[in-house]
Amino acid sequence: MSDEHHIATWQRLSKKILTQSPLCSDPFNWHSHTGRFAPSVCVHHIVSPKDDYDKMFDRSNLLPLCQTCHDAIHAK
């Protein structure tokens, strides 16, 4: 897969996921605890494509997240 095709495929998939799941998946239960739900702004890979490229476009490996949750995941 060319880089251009790879990027375009990812952009289409992530946009579709954000459209279908407009709220953060709340992996830490912060939003449900406070009752303040946040819009999802990015799609996170549970298993990094660096670790398993076959999961790059696997929907079961993707989480729609708000920026706060995404930042918290990457801070670990």
Side-chain angles (χ1 to χ4, degrees):
M1 180 182 302
S2 71
D3 286 343
E4 294 82 16
H5 184 258
H6 172 84
I7 291 168
T9 300
W10 174 248
Q11 288 175 339
R12 282 192 303 276
L13 178 58
S14 61
K15 182 177 181 181
K16 185 174 186 175
I17 290 170
L18 293 175
T19 299
Q20 292 174 342
S21 302
L23 296 177
C24 178
S25 61
D26 196 16
F28 303 106
N29 293 318
W30 293 337
H31 305 301
S32 59
H33 181 71
T34 64
R36 292 183 171 176
F37 292 90
S40 54
V41 297
C42 57
V43 178
H44 173 74
H45 289 92
I46 299 166
V47 176
S48 171
K50 294 175 187 174
D51 297 328
D52 186 352
Y53 185 79
D54 290 339
K55 294 186 178 186
M56 174 73 180
F57 302 110
D58 181 350
R59 290 178 147 234
S60 66
N61 186 47
L62 303 173
L63 287 177
L65 297 175
C66 68
Q67 193 63 54
T68 301
C69 288
H70 192 249
D71 291 347
I73 286 174
H74 284 284
K76 287 185 175 183

